[in-house]
Amino acid sequence: MVDRRLEGKYKFLQWLTIAIFAVLTVRLITLQLWEAPVYRTKAKLNQFRFLPIRAPRGDIVDRNGKVLAANKIVNTVSIVRQQIDGKDLDRTINKLAGLLHDVYPEIDAAYIKRQLEEHQSRSYEPVVVKRDVSVEVVSRLEERRRDLPGVVIGKEIVRYYPEGTLASHLLGYIGEISKEELENRQNENYKLGDLVGRFGLEKQYEKYLRGVDGFQQVEVDVSGRPIPHSDLITVNPKQGDRLVLTLDGDLQKVLEASMDKALADLRKKGLPGRAGAAVVLDVRTGAVLAMTSRPNFDPNLLVPPVSDKAAQEYLNPPGGADPTMINRAISSKYPPGSTFKPITGMAALESGKITTEETIVCKGRYWLPPFTKCWRVHGTVDFFRAMAVSCNVYFIEAGRRAGVDMITRVAHEFGLDEKTGIDLPGEVAGSFLTPEKKEKKYGPVVEKWYRQKQDELEKEYAGRLARAKSERERNDILIQKKYAERDLKVWYRNKYNQDAKWQPYDTYFMSFGQGSNEYTPIGLANYVATLANGGKRMRPYLVQRIEDRNGKVIARFRPEVVRRVDISSKTLDTVKQAMREVAGGEGGTAAWLFNDLPFKVAAKTGTAESGRGDGLYHGVFVAFAPTDKPEIAFAGIIECGSHGSESMGPVAKDVFKEYFGLNKLQQPQEQQTKTGAGNNLPAVRQPSQTERPRPQRPPVSGNQPEPGTTPAQPPQQPGNGTTPPVDGRQQDGQQSDTRPPSGDQPSGGVPGAQP
Amino acid sequence: MLGLSLLVLSSATANIGSDPLFYVKKQLLWIVLGLFAALAVISVDYTKLVRYQHLIYGILLVLLAIVMVIGHASHGKQQWIALGPFLFQPSELGKIMVIICFAAFLVKRQGELQRLRDLIPCFLYFSIPLGLVVAQGDLGTALVFIAICFGMLYLAGARPALLLKILGGSLALAVLALALHFSPLHLPLPLEDYQIKRLIVFVNPYWDPQGAGYNILQSLVAIGSGGFWGKGLFHGSQVQLNFLPEHHTDFIFSVVGEELGFLGAGFVLFLYYIIVSRTIRATFEAKDLFGRLITGGILSMWLFHILQNIGMTIGLMPITGIPLPFLSYGGSFMLTNMICVGLILNIHLRREKMLF
């Protein structure tokens, strides 16, 4: 019996209890009945984990099957954050850093912490500290396993470039997908931490190379460790497709070695000798046989995680250094210099304005303003001779007669103002100036200058008028102002005419490859290849076929004619013949170099204003061989390499020697093995075999300068190309209206007197 | 309830240690011990306990003090002493002792608890053992002590409004102190950071899903994923794969929820309701204030344990780490609860003198 006096309390306690249990029950009902499906999913997510199995990327091999990019299995040291207590983390990191630091100096505690911070989203996933750890280090870590909670040593497949730096700009490199990319490529099944192609072929053919990741569904316990024998489903990864390139690995090696030597030689002479690019094309197909860019890199060092050293050297070079991560062969534009002369020549011949019989006398300067200097006095020259000795006077005259429209039409026929369409990311189109482009570019500049001058004049006279003391003085000032306005207008018209309108000298400069002409090495190579093969402009390509992991060909890339140039074959043949004179004719600018070869080479040298300072000229060189039945074309440039014949010419020569088997003849064994490999090179090289027995050309003689030692002064060129100074040298407006609008004020500062 | 405990424990501890029944056996041993203890307690007339008030109070303080000196630390708390092969937790038995002596203490002040001034000695009397428990770092037990204190004061005749004011005031003070602690002032608190974190994270476990909120989240997932029927004993992935921490002690209710579903969890709630409701009845049917205060203290203790423990597993209460009576694994606690049962029976049996 409950005491009466306590009945209130009794009831209160009973109700309190009921309330408490009601709350608990209601909550239980919502959890277990309403929200059960949500929590069931969460429990599943807890329990099962999809462990991704990274697919090996597809191999990249050259035309002979030589492996350029592959995969290898490496030991990887990672940290699984979830398996370390917070307080142990720092200690573990320091310990691990201590154990790795002496072998891999780039790893210290700060570096590991940064890696963890950058990948902290999922604490149960391992964060890679170092890939490709040596066996010694692995055993060192294993011994101290107890001190290193959460440190995991696993095997992993990583990208591997067995040839190191070879063809680095072509192959590219891979990097970890960024958050932005992940958002942009949502429907492509990428996930955080995936590696994607970042540059070159790795980027261009990413969707083929990446393969399909596999996974393993396992049951895991709370620390993320798979429970033994619990793999429920395993889907094996599928390796990416294999790229078979048109590239010839041996030729590429020769090209790169020769390029390095050329750069080293320049450095010995005190020139920068750091940057350059070269391209070798098969003229019959447009296939890229070799291509290089300097400075280059080792893509192995860019496989994540990237060490600070590699990141700084390659990805974030200090200001002023020549950047590495640009394929200069396709992404940098250079003035072509004299290698443009064949275009001018074709324009003149095709328009019928010159004939091969006609001669022109070179007295060391052109006879029309601005009286551009030739690089030496060539005397009487015809077309072939002019090409061989690279006479500026002759080609200025040829260009003048052909006219700018004809020159640019020919340049356009050869695709110099377009991208070649090579299968690499980042190609830029070359460019040249035309009258329309010049006006569009510089017209507004002059207009702006004019408005500014008008404002100044207004202001000046407003001030003077305000200070005027009498009506008469005011009238005088107003009259003066009228005159001043008239003078300024004349000044402006002259200036506009000169700066924005096409001037004869613009055509002259263009004729020998200066002015605002800028082309990529691949553009130049393709132009030479087009010339060599008789006018078929091909699309250069690097990948000839793609095979899936079973070896089945899933894509084949065939030679593709982009355009047939609208130039008569007679003209083409004449120009080819003239280029042959460069490399084989008497006094040819590159003859000294190619004389000893058993096959005929056609070439054109170039020494182009770099715009980087006095005396710094880019060495440019284009060539093809053999002259009669051309097979390969070469174009190369060395930044600040001075004369193309001296800096780049030897590189071309080495490439040709390798291609036509001259190097191989000294190593017959090697050639045999190559033949055995079933490639088509021996057949390709046949012409050289037939040409070999021919007697070598007699050594050059006569008035020809000594090969290689010619202190040939660089062609004297107007300093600023077609960009006349806009600031206006003619400070005195009164004077300018009495002068002819052009000619007397050559932008290049060549003295006005005719020699 | 005890059978259920053994059943659930057999599943909850199947993945711990080499002998899957190790914990079940130990628990069974404690239950048997507890039954004997209960029988022993029943046989002694509880009214005689008043005489030993000071002795019990003394023993209580000594025990709590000893544990500070020679105790084993676990989970940041120092609350165990080794008794032969067993680790013994004096603060558990302390609950009974504190109930008995506080009951005796209050009996003497019957009818003199109307004013705040009258309550101060009671709080002082209580604060010494409470202080010792806090010093051990056992926040959960400290809260249980407070619940016991207020429950008994209420039954002893203190004005409910006054008690409510004190309780509300201290709660407000506690919240204020926490706020100040996390403000730039960094008010120092006698609590470890992990305890504070656990106290507040239940409001939103996603503040720290890998840290302080982890237990709550995993418990919610366990209970929620159990659904109506449950996954069956030995088949709860949250339990068996150790996602759920402390699943044989503090989070035993989550095991029930996951493996036996709403059916099992609801049944457990029902059983607790019966126990509590019977205890309330026993409280008010006791023949004297002393008996009423003892049962009332036990009632407060159980009710608080149940509310707090189950509340924490379903995200209603902060995590304080106190076990669930009769279900959780733990020898001292089981023994304590069995003695409590004995005491209640003792008091209830003697509600009319004629019986004996």
Side-chain angles (χ1 to χ4, degrees), chain A residues 9 27 32 42 46 222, chain B residues 154 206 214 218 238 243 314:
Chain A
K9 288 188 178 180
R27 175 72 179 145
Q32 295 199 288
K42 286 189 177 176
N46 261 346
V222 62
Chain B
Y154 171 70
Y206 290 98
Y214 177 81
Q218 296 302 338
Q238 290 288 100
F243 286 106
I314 56 183

Side-chain angles (χ1 to χ4, degrees), chain A residues 26 39 59 119 127 154 234 261 273 290 416 502 519 582 628 635 686 735:
Chain A
V26 167
Y39 287 109
D59 290 349
H119 301 85
V127 174
T234 303
K261 185 176 172 297
L416 282 172
W502 193 260
Y519 308 116
V582 175
D628 314 323
Q686 215 143 24
Q735 204 184 343

Side-chain angles (χ1 to χ4, degrees), chain A residues 1-3 6-14 16-18 20-21 23-25 27-29 31-33 35-37 39-44 46-47 49 82 123-124 219-224 227, chain B residues 154-155 157-158 206 210 214 218 220-221 223-228 231 237-238 241-243 253 257-258 261-262 265-266 269 272-273 276-277 280-281 284-285 292 299 303 306-307 310-311 314-316:
Chain A
M1 278 299 293
V2 176
D3 193 322
L6 295 173
E7 204 157 335
K9 288 188 178 180
Y10 173 72
K11 282 215 169 118
F12 169 74
L13 281 179
Q14 281 291 11
L16 180 70
T17 310
I18 289 172
I20 287 174
F21 279 91
V23 168
L24 294 180
T25 311
R27 175 72 179 145
L28 208 55
I29 287 172
L31 264 182
Q32 295 199 288
L33 304 185
E35 298 172 3
Y39 287 109
R40 233 171 247 150
T41 316
K42 286 189 177 176
K44 281 252 153 50
N46 261 346
Q47 183 183 359
R49 194 141 298 161
Q82 204 183 50
S123 63
Y124 56 81
E219 209 174 350
V220 295
D221 67 6
V222 62
S223 50
I227 292 161
Chain B
Y154 171 70
L155 283 172
Y206 290 98
Q210 293 295 336
Y214 177 81
Q218 296 302 338
L220 285 176
V221 169
I223 295 174
S225 64
F228 185 79
K231 299 176 185 170
S237 62
Q238 290 288 100
L241 301 175
N242 287 326
F243 286 106
F253 187 76
E258 182 179 26
F262 179 69
L269 277 183
Y272 278 126
Y273 177 72
V276 171
S277 145
I280 296 173
R281 201 168 178 80
F284 288 92
E285 287 178 358
R292 194 156 64 236
L299 169 74
L303 200 57
I306 293 164
L307 172 67
I310 296 182
I314 56 183
L316 288 178

Side-chain angles (χ1 to χ4, degrees), chain B residues 73-312:
Chain B
S74 151
H75 292 72
K77 308 170 190 171
Q78 193 173 23
Q79 56 194 45
W80 308 83
I81 50 176
L83 270 185
F86 295 114
L87 282 174
F88 186 73
Q89 204 175 351
S91 59
E92 295 297 350
L93 273 184
K95 289 172 190 166
I96 303 178
M97 298 194 217
V98 93
I99 287 170
I100 294 171
C101 39
F102 195 50
F105 181 85
L106 288 176
V107 166
K108 290 172 195 155
R109 283 164 180 72
Q110 197 170 0
E112 295 168 16
L113 294 166
Q114 294 305 311
R115 290 165 303 172
L116 183 62
R117 208 170 55 196
D118 304 325
L119 293 181
I120 289 170
C122 310
F123 287 134
L124 281 179
Y125 185 81
F126 214 94
S127 64
I128 301 170
L130 179 64
L132 284 169
V133 170
V134 170
Q136 289 170 20
D138 190 350
L139 189 67
T141 306
L143 290 174
V144 175
F145 271 42
I146 292 170
I148 292 171
C149 174
F150 279 86
M152 290 175 73
L153 280 173
Y154 171 70
L155 283 172
R159 280 216 325 273
L162 187 61
L163 289 178
L164 216 60
K165 270 182 207 162
I166 297 170
L167 212 54
S170 357
L171 203 67
L173 212 65
V175 171
L176 186 73
L178 278 179
L180 282 177
H181 181 71
F182 286 105
S183 72
L185 288 171
H186 294 302
L187 181 81
L189 289 180
L191 292 173
E192 299 288 333
D193 264 357
Y194 81 95
Q195 290 175 316
I196 299 172
K197 258 189 172 170
R198 284 187 359 179
L199 275 182
I200 54 174
V201 83
F202 84 99
V203 180
N204 182 1
Y206 290 98
W207 280 335
D208 187 7
Q210 293 295 336
Y214 177 81
N215 292 2
I216 301 179
L217 284 178
Q218 296 302 338
S219 171
L220 285 176
V221 169
I223 295 174
S225 64
F228 185 79
W229 298 103
K231 299 176 185 170
L233 284 177
F234 305 101
H235 292 292
S237 62
Q238 290 288 100
V239 178
Q240 304 301 337
L241 301 175
N242 287 326
F243 286 106
L244 190 63
E246 307 283 340
H247 52 248
H248 61 298
T249 54
D250 294 357
F251 284 93
I252 192 80
F253 187 76
S254 314
V255 180
V256 177
E258 182 179 26
E259 301 200 335
L260 302 178
F262 179 69
L263 223 53
F267 182 60
V268 166
L269 277 183
F270 175 71
L271 290 181
Y272 278 126
Y273 177 72
I274 301 287
I275 292 171
V276 171
S277 145
R278 298 298 301 172
T279 310
I280 296 173
R281 201 168 178 80
T283 305
F284 288 92
E285 287 178 358
K287 66 176 178 195
D288 56 6
L289 183 63
F290 184 55
R292 194 156 64 236
L293 284 179
I294 291 177
T295 31
I298 295 169
L299 169 74
S300 306
M301 176 179 95
W302 280 346
L303 200 57
F304 186 78
H305 265 276
I306 293 164
L307 172 67
Q308 167 59 36
N309 181 288
I310 296 182
M312 118 187 141

Side-chain angles (χ1 to χ4, degrees), chain B residues 308-329:
Chain B
Q308 167 59 36
N309 181 288
I310 296 182
M312 118 187 141
T313 61
I314 56 183
L316 288 178
M317 298 290 265
I319 296 183
T320 46
I322 62 172
L324 197 54
F326 307 111
L327 268 187
S328 289
Y329 172 79

